[in-house]
Amino acid sequence: RWWGLAEKNGSVRAKMMLGLFHNLGRGVGRSEKEAEHWYLKAAELGDKDAIYNLALLYLHGKGIDRNYDKAAKYFSILAEQGDADAQNSYASLFLEGQGVPYSPEKAASWFKRAASSNAQGMFNLATMYRTGTGLDQNDKKALFWYKKAADLNFAAAQNAVGYMYAEGRGTKVDKEIAETWFQKAVDNGLRMALQNSNSLEQKGAFSLIRIQTNKDIRSAVLTDKKVNLADWLETHQQPIL
């Protein structure tokens, strides 16, 4: 009954929703193959959440065959449309040569685009500057972008800002400021930052997280209240003209 409703339903979102329910195992048996089936139907009609979730399915290969080419294909569609999460994930594929030719330069270019509005993109661009990967090494620019992401309460970036002050990269050494940023990261649940804080006194090595991407499927439609799939499909039926 649900399958028929989604097939006949004029709403693209009904197809995306059925894919999402299968993806999560909500109200139906969990099946990534069925999720792929319905996401593809919604993606063909331009649903952005379906396209993104489909890219993640292919990237991680859980329950279906991993396919980096298809992951890159679907991330690129959204990346070209200005989706910052997709831009960030697409950039990471260039760093690994997954589904696209290995190119640190293209990775840096896409991270720059993602950094306009995405904390992970800011963090990753900072890392590219810090390591001189895909662009000229520049500690000051690295610190600038780490701070931008840290100000958005991104723990990995807060930890990185602490590291930059502890090591005097892009700024003067300031252990008090370093400790402040390490503590902010600790408060946000990053245990690595606690070890780094201890290293300030013990003169040990510091640890950093490298590249960050969003691994969560898009399911915001389910977060506000419980959704019954059958009721949702009934309510959102639209005649096909």
Side-chain angles (χ1 to χ4, degrees), residues 2 5-6 9 14 18 228-237:
W2 298 349
L5 286 170
N9 199 317
L18 194 47
N228 179 282
L229 179 56
D231 291 344
W232 194 96
L233 291 172
E234 290 278 12
T235 302
H236 290 75
Q237 281 192 87

Side-chain angles (χ1 to χ4, degrees), residues 40-214:
L40 278 168
K41 286 181 174 291
E44 288 169 359
L45 297 172
D47 188 279
K48 292 183 178 181
D49 290 341
I51 294 170
Y52 187 84
N53 290 350
L54 194 55
L56 284 182
L57 276 183
Y58 289 129
L59 179 63
H60 299 307
K62 293 183 179 179
I64 63 171
D65 292 335
R66 176 174 285 169
N67 191 315
Y68 291 127
D69 290 344
K70 288 183 179 180
K73 170 187 173 181
Y74 288 107
F75 277 136
S76 71
I77 291 171
L78 295 183
E80 293 289 358
Q81 295 176 11
D83 185 302
D85 274 335
Q87 289 171 338
N88 187 61
S89 293
Y90 191 44
S92 72
L93 295 180
F94 283 103
L95 274 185
E96 301 295 333
Q98 294 174 335
V100 291
Y102 172 73
S103 175
E105 292 76 19
K106 286 187 178 180
S109 176
W110 280 108
F111 282 140
K112 282 183 179 179
R113 294 172 72 169
S116 65
S117 60
N118 181 278
Q120 289 183 332
M122 296 170 191
F123 174 83
N124 292 338
L125 179 58
T127 298
M128 300 293 272
Y129 276 120
R130 177 177 60 81
T131 60
T133 304
L135 36 69
D136 292 336
Q137 199 280 335
N138 190 313
D139 280 345
K140 288 186 177 181
K141 289 184 178 180
L143 180 57
F144 172 83
W145 286 107
Y146 278 140
K147 280 185 173 180
K148 291 272 285 187
D151 287 340
L152 294 176
N153 217 32
F154 191 54
Q158 292 169 335
N159 180 63
V161 173
Y163 161 79
M164 298 296 278
Y165 276 101
E167 292 287 290
R169 297 190 59 172
T171 185
K172 294 180 180 179
V173 172
D174 192 318
K175 291 188 176 183
E176 288 187 7
I177 294 179
E179 172 61 27
T180 297
W181 283 105
F182 284 144
Q183 188 57 53
K184 286 184 178 182
V186 171
D187 292 343
N188 278 321
L190 189 64
R191 295 183 64 183
M192 176 189 296
L194 180 59
Q195 298 171 349
N196 287 340
S197 178
N198 293 335
S199 292
L200 281 172
E201 298 300 326
Q202 300 168 6
K203 298 183 179 180
F206 297 102
S207 298
L208 295 176
I209 293 172
R210 197 163 185 269
I211 296 299
Q212 291 280 283
T213 58
N214 183 20

